[in-house]
Amino acid sequence: MKVNFNKDNGLVPVVIQDNRTLQVLMLGYMNEEAFEKTEKERIVTFFSRSKNRLWTKGEESGNFLTVKSIDIDCDRDTILIKVIPENVVCHTGSFSCFGEKEAKGFLYELENTVSQRIDQKSEGSYTYSLYQRGINKVAQKVGEEAVELVIEAKDNNAELFKNEAADLLYHFLILLKTKGFSLEDIERTLESRNQ
C-alpha cells in the first residue's frame, strides 16, 4: 500500500514508536522524498516545516532513530514507524517528546541487553558467564529463582518478593536466549491459547 501524499501540501504525519516498549516517542511529518530516504537508509528522515528541508533525526545530536518497521494506516495518510532510538528523542533531553521513559515494556529492553551480552561474548558479564555454563546450569538457575520466589510469596515482605520475581524474570530471559526463543514467541503461544 502506498502513502497518499496528495493531502495537506504533500505532508503526512508520522508517529514514531519505540519498537521494544511500544512507547510513543514523537510525531513528525514526511513528504515523499523524506519517506523514500527513510525506507532506503532505514534511519528516520522527516520534512522539517520550520527549516523547510529534509531533516534526519539525529543529524546534529547523533540520536538517530533506526527503523525496524513501517506501517501505513487504512486511509494511507498517516505513517507509523517503529524504531530503536539511539538515545533520548526529545530536543529537551527527555526520552520521549511525550515524557520520560516508561517502565512498561522494559522487559524487551532487558531481553535485548541479555542477547547483546551473549552475542558479543561480553567477558566479565554474569549473563554471558552463566550462558557459557550451558543449558543445564541456566535451567537450574531458573528453578532456584522460582523456588525462592515461592518462598517469598508465603511471607509478607513486598520488597523481597518483588526482587525474587525480578530475578526469576531475568534468568528466564537468559533461558529463552539459550533455547533460541524470545519473549515474543512466548506471547504468541499465550495469545494462541486465548482464542
Side-chain angles (χ1 to χ4, degrees):
M1 187 162 44
K2 291 195 169 208
V3 180
N4 181 356
F5 287 101
N6 295 326
K7 299 179 181 179
D8 297 320
N9 298 319
L11 296 178
V12 297
V14 182
V15 177
I16 302 296
Q17 190 176 34
D18 189 303
N19 187 63
R20 296 166 295 210
T21 66
L22 302 183
Q23 183 174 352
V24 174
L25 302 176
M26 67 179 293
L27 172 77
Y29 292 87
M30 285 185 181
N31 62 9
E32 194 166 2
E33 186 181 3
F35 181 71
E36 289 171 357
K37 186 175 190 326
T38 297
E39 276 191 310
K40 181 181 177 190
E41 297 179 359
R42 308 305 285 176
I43 300 291
V44 175
T45 294
F46 296 106
F47 180 83
S48 170
R49 295 171 300 165
S50 58
K51 299 173 184 173
N52 198 32
R53 67 170 176 86
L54 293 188
W55 167 65
T56 299
K57 175 69 175 143
E59 67 186 27
E60 292 176 12
S61 66
N63 296 339
F64 296 102
L65 301 172
T66 302
V67 174
K68 297 304 283 183
S69 68
I70 299 174
D71 293 299
I72 302 162
D73 80 330
C74 57
D75 292 327
R76 301 182 306 123
D77 62 0
T78 304
I79 301 168
L80 171 66
I81 301 180
K82 291 181 183 165
V83 302
I84 301 295
E86 191 70 31
N87 202 335
V88 297
V89 174
C90 186
H91 70 281
T92 65
S94 292
F95 177 73
S96 160
C97 293
F98 298 98
E100 289 303 322
K101 185 182 276 193
E102 298 172 5
K104 187 173 183 170
F106 174 73
L107 276 179
Y108 285 93
E109 286 187 48
L110 182 58
E111 179 182 41
N112 188 55
T113 301
V114 164
S115 188
Q116 285 178 342
R117 299 253 165 88
I118 291 170
D119 292 344
Q120 296 170 1
K121 299 178 168 67
S122 298
E123 294 299 327
S125 158
Y126 169 78
T127 302
Y128 180 60
S129 68
L130 179 58
Y131 172 81
Q132 280 186 300
R133 295 173 72 189
I135 188 67
N136 289 344
K137 279 296 183 188
V138 174
Q140 178 185 346
K141 190 64 180 167
V142 170
E144 289 170 8
E145 296 300 340
V147 169
E148 290 173 12
L149 178 62
V150 169
I151 291 168
E152 289 305 328
K154 298 173 125 235
D155 293 332
N156 291 321
N157 188 320
E159 286 307 308
L160 286 176
F161 176 79
K162 289 189 292 184
N163 276 297
E164 291 302 339
D167 287 348
L168 177 58
L169 280 172
Y170 170 73
H171 287 92
F172 176 64
L173 291 175
I174 298 172
L175 180 62
L176 284 178
K177 173 69 175 176
T178 304
K179 292 293 292 178
F181 296 112
S182 68
L183 275 175
E184 200 169 343
D185 294 324
I186 307 310
E187 282 183 330
R188 283 195 190 99
T189 299
L190 288 168
E191 184 181 36
S192 72
R193 293 179 183 178
N194 192 37
Q195 305 204 4

